[in-house]
Amino acid sequence: MRWIIFLLLCAWAWAEPATLRVGILSFEDSRDLYKQLRAQSDALKKAVHLTPAFAIGTYGELFHWLENDLVDVAVINSGQLSKLSQEKWQYIGSATTSGHEPAYLSVCVVRKDSGLKSFEDVRAAGSRLRLLAVDPLSVSGFIHPVEALTKAGVQITPDQIKFSYSHTNSLRWLVQSDGPEMACIWASTWERNKDASLQEITIPGLDQLHSLPVALIARRGAPTTDSLARLVKSGGFPGFEFDPDYMQQVDQLPDTMPGSLAGLSGRPLDRVGIDDLILTMHLYNVTHEKPARLAVVLAGGGAKCSYQAGAVRALEERLQIWRKRLSDDQLDIRLVVGTSGGAINALSVAMGLTVDEDGYKALSAAWADLDQGEIICPPLAVRVNLWCWLACVTGLIILAVNWVFRLGKPRSMVLTGVVGAVMFGLSHTQLRFLLGTDSGLQHVWAWLAWGIEGAGVVLVMVCVTGFVTLHRDRRHRQVVHRTGPLVRLAIAGVTLLPILQAWTMFCYEEVVSENRGIESALTRNFGNLIQRQSRESGSVAGLSIAKLSQRVFEQNLLKRDVVLTASPLTDPELSLPGEFYFYASPLNSPEPGFGNRGIALVKRPELLFDALLGSAAIYPLFPSRLINDLPKAGQHVDLVDGSFAHRSPLEPAVLWGATHVLVIEASTLEPTTRGNLLNNFGASLTYLYDEAQLVDVRLRGQTVLYSLYPSAPHIGLLDFSPYLIKASIEKGYREASGAPTSAYQKGGALHKELGPPIFWTP
């Protein structure tokens, strides 16, 4: 019997958590909340004999924790409680209010210069009216105001609504807004945070809709629940009392919102704005000894990654604003992780280029300077074949003109020379600026520019050869040769050279493009950026890759921790990991747990730009990057695109202690098109490529994760054109800056993937 009792006690101790996990709704900024938690912590310890650990979250976060059993006890609002299973969660008590506090009412607030002076102005605004609400599950900040407006004849649609996720945040946003915008907030928040530029406006019937105070709930049937219920009923739990009618009033809350708003009610939004991320970080900072470690993860995608430069700039601006508003100097980016094209941005952000407007303009100019005519450089054999083929096509056209207009050999040779000179000249003009933002035309011109240059030289040579032959024939008094052999030669070239080209590209050459173009472009532009950041007058032109890399460390240009990921090509003689993480820590952070995958750049500073170029080498479009003395002295590896292992390298961010992660993608959420054989082949490759990212997918849920996807349509992988790049950067800035108006839009807004609570023990 003793053994049975002992085993039962062990089983109970194993099943019961060492701490009581308490989740608390953050519906407004309140420093007093943390003082109250310390007082409640002692009461909980005595009642349940467990140390309480608190996690403070937004509406969506707390609802996620409750649905996934990540907390044992929670303080939530009545709107959330109405959507929870009462078979799983038990009402324990509700908050008490002091006599001087205003009742649990909603108020609507507008700017004094908004043109909204009365309810009649609100009604007249119609679809122009914008409603600044708190959350779909906030009773005083959404449900009751919309109910009153609807009964008063004002119809609200989802496109008119913007959610701020806290009552005090609504007031902050309203101060900065323009036009007919109205914030719906809790009356107590308005009383404590009145602003001289704002005024309350009366909505008929709103003062008759009383909200319920926040509720304390616990998991039904848990060993601590009965003890906690007895504590509250006895009056021993500060700030809470038991109300026998509370749940009956919760059941009377509106089940759905009117009309088109029905879909918004009943679930937390997963589309948020940058401010939600920053406020979540602030909550972490005020409840933890160490500040939040925000990691910005920049996915790969070639030219599409230019979007990220604008998005990060928008984040930097919001961080600067909120640091001042909240007096929280710890709100900052602390880690940047990038791969492929995202590695270009990662190094730039780590150098602090996006912190100020001038640096952002310099980075934007560097992106615009990456021209596909320079970056895409086909091998010589491919170019020669293209020259000859275009020369044959053009020659056939000239022969046809000669036959129609009876030009004769001298004039046809002149025409050939003129056409060749024009083609050569066109290849060196900036004609791409006239093509605008049409991606297809830009690609066609990039390849034609390679071909018409050499084809023009070939035609000029044909012209010269023709005149030499004509002069020789005239000296020997010979008749002009027939054009038949030239026609047959041109037709043979037009038909056979494409076959030879296919064999050359698929069976002879190793890659589609040489690496010298992208290497030259990146080193030139980063050389300029390094010179700007170092503020030295000396030129960096002509410096080798290794010297340029060392310059970054010698002058301490890195301001944030950075990781660049790249994938080594497999080598049976070397036991290579699936990826390498090249990292540097100017913040002196603890060493990351990368194992044999981690390469400390402080020990190998000369590898910085080699790692960048290797990560950007989209193999086999571009050749791999050879790195000597890696992983050991005397060995070497070939680095290729880091996206092969991590398109969105979340793993190094999590392994290096990120508490919050913002992933800025380069590709849209559009599904892969299927249909014909070519589309199906591309869809299958995309599927296999996505399956290779499972490591990062499995890590989702281990941290607070935000993702930003570009809205469709977006530029392509190789759309390195100043017009396209500029539009992409501006799009990233615009979409990251804007707060979403709809829960259902795809791309162009932050998507919040809710992770586990981060607990704090007073």
Side-chain angles (χ1 to χ4, degrees), residues 34-44 238:
Y34 308 112
K35 297 178 182 178
Q36 184 180 1
L37 291 181
R38 289 186 174 91
Q40 293 172 344
S41 177
D42 295 334
L44 283 172

Side-chain angles (χ1 to χ4, degrees), residues 68-346:
N68 291 276
D69 297 327
L70 298 175
V71 294
D72 307 304
V73 176
V75 177
I76 66 174
N77 79 325
S78 56
Q80 292 175 307
L81 183 54
S82 68
K83 304 302 177 184
L84 289 175
S85 170
Q86 296 186 19
E87 296 180 356
K88 186 176 180 180
W89 295 97
Q90 177 180 334
Y91 165 76
I92 302 297
S94 45
T96 56
T97 56
S98 57
H100 66 276
E101 289 243 354
Y104 278 78
L105 295 173
S106 301
V107 295
C108 289
V109 181
V110 298
R111 285 186 349 278
K112 291 180 179 179
D113 60 353
S114 65
L116 302 175
K117 302 296 184 181
S118 65
F119 174 70
E120 292 304 319
D121 295 330
V122 173
R123 191 201 305 271
S127 60
R128 295 186 301 109
L129 177 68
R130 289 175 292 169
L131 197 67
L132 188 54
V134 174
D135 188 272
L137 296 180
S138 172
V139 178
S140 58
F142 179 65
I143 297 176
H144 278 169
V146 171
E147 183 180 358
L149 287 168
T150 302
K151 289 181 178 179
V154 179
Q155 298 299 319
I156 304 295
T157 64
D159 290 337
Q160 295 175 261
I161 299 173
K162 180 168 66 176
F163 293 103
S164 68
Y165 313 107
S166 83
H167 295 271
T168 43
N169 202 21
S170 289
L171 288 175
R172 294 189 189 101
W173 283 7
L174 186 63
V175 170
Q176 301 179 71
S177 67
D178 54 9
E181 187 159 12
M182 181 170 65
C184 306
I185 58 173
W186 183 30
S188 181
T189 303
W190 171 238
E191 289 294 324
R192 290 194 291 264
N193 300 276
K194 285 189 175 181
D195 188 282
S197 64
L198 306 179
Q199 66 181 12
E200 185 179 343
I201 194 167
T202 301
I203 305 298
L206 185 58
D207 58 347
Q208 303 301 314
L209 300 174
H210 292 250
S211 302
L212 295 172
V214 293
L216 178 68
I217 64 172
R219 186 179 291 106
R220 193 175 292 276
T224 56
T225 299
D226 290 340
S227 301
L228 183 58
R230 288 194 296 269
L231 178 68
V232 173
K233 287 182 178 179
S234 65
F237 192 68
F240 283 86
E241 62 184 1
F242 179 77
D243 181 357
D245 299 325
Y246 189 90
M247 289 307 300
Q248 182 179 356
Q249 297 176 69
V250 169
D251 293 336
Q252 294 174 355
L253 288 173
D255 212 12
T256 59
M257 298 304 296
S260 60
L261 300 183
L264 296 180
S265 182
R267 67 179 185 85
L269 287 177
D270 60 358
R271 300 286 169 177
V272 299
I274 285 180
D275 288 351
D276 180 88
L277 165 62
I278 297 175
L279 291 173
T280 301
M281 291 170 57
H282 175 65
L283 286 175
Y284 183 94
N285 289 346
V286 298
T287 56
H288 290 75
E289 293 182 1
K290 294 183 178 180
R293 182 168 170 82
L294 171 62
V296 175
V297 176
L298 303 169
K304 295 186 289 185
C305 296
S306 55
Y307 174 91
Q308 299 166 345
V312 175
R313 175 56 188 160
L315 171 63
E316 299 270 26
E317 288 182 347
R318 299 306 296 170
L319 284 169
Q320 291 171 4
I321 291 172
W322 283 109
R323 277 196 293 267
K324 183 177 180 180
R325 284 182 184 174
L326 301 173
S327 300
D328 187 351
D329 293 334
Q330 301 299 325
L331 293 172
D332 199 4
I333 302 170
R334 300 189 178 275
L335 171 62
V336 196
V337 183
T339 191
S340 190
I344 299 173
N345 291 318

Side-chain angles (χ1 to χ4, degrees), residues 24-29 33-34 56-59 62 165-166 283:
I24 298 177
L25 173 65
S26 171
F27 55 88
E28 66 171 353
D29 296 347
L33 172 64
Y34 308 112
I56 303 173
T58 61
Y59 286 83
L62 185 55
Y165 313 107
S166 83
L283 286 175

Side-chain angles (χ1 to χ4, degrees), residues 321-552:
I321 291 172
W322 283 109
R323 277 196 293 267
K324 183 177 180 180
R325 284 182 184 174
L326 301 173
S327 300
D328 187 351
D329 293 334
Q330 301 299 325
L331 293 172
D332 199 4
I333 302 170
R334 300 189 178 275
L335 171 62
V336 196
V337 183
T339 191
S340 190
I344 299 173
N345 291 318
L347 182 56
S348 303
V349 175
M351 289 170 57
L353 283 162
T354 51
V355 171
D356 56 67
E357 185 66 23
D358 290 340
Y360 171 59
K361 289 180 179 178
L363 177 59
S364 300
W367 266 106
D369 187 61
L370 299 177
D371 180 63
Q372 56 186 306
E374 177 184 15
I375 291 175
I376 303 173
C377 180
L380 180 60
V382 174
R383 298 202 304 272
V384 170
N385 191 300
L386 185 59
W387 297 345
C388 295
W389 183 80
L390 282 174
C392 290
V393 171
T394 309
L396 281 177
I397 296 174
I398 292 173
L399 288 170
V401 172
N402 179 40
W403 181 80
V404 172
F405 294 99
R406 306 292 180 183
L407 297 179
K409 188 171 183 177
R411 282 182 289 182
S412 66
M413 287 299 102
V414 171
L415 179 60
T416 302
V418 170
V419 171
V422 170
M423 291 174 67
F424 182 84
L426 278 176
S427 67
H428 292 273
T429 62
Q430 300 298 319
L431 183 62
R432 54 186 171 84
F433 288 106
L434 303 178
L435 302 178
T437 58
D438 190 299
S439 175
L441 290 177
Q442 292 284 352
H443 289 319
V444 169
W445 173 248
W447 281 92
L448 282 178
W450 282 112
I452 63 176
E453 179 184 32
V457 173
V458 172
L459 291 175
V460 171
M461 292 174 61
V462 169
C463 171
V464 173
T465 303
F467 273 113
V468 170
T469 304
L470 181 62
H471 178 68
R472 184 195 62 192
D473 291 344
R474 285 180 175 175
R475 286 185 58 189
H476 294 84
R477 298 182 179 180
Q478 296 178 358
V479 296
V480 178
H481 295 344
R482 297 177 180 176
T483 59
L486 292 176
V487 173
R488 289 192 291 271
L489 179 62
I491 292 175
V494 170
T495 55
L496 296 179
L497 285 176
I499 300 175
L500 178 61
Q501 185 76 300
W503 180 88
T504 302
M505 294 183 65
F506 291 104
C507 302
Y508 179 76
E509 297 292 348
E510 296 181 359
V511 293
V512 176
S513 174
E514 296 176 350
N515 209 25
R516 57 187 175 91
I518 188 172
E519 179 177 335
S520 173
L522 287 179
T523 52
R524 178 181 67 250
N525 283 291
F526 265 105
N528 294 334
L529 295 176
I530 288 172
Q531 186 174 3
R532 178 196 178 277
Q533 291 301 92
S534 62
R535 304 188 185 282
E536 291 187 354
S537 57
S539 174
V540 295
L543 288 182
S544 66
I545 291 289
K547 291 294 184 182
L548 201 61
S549 300
Q550 291 172 340
R551 180 72 63 90
V552 173

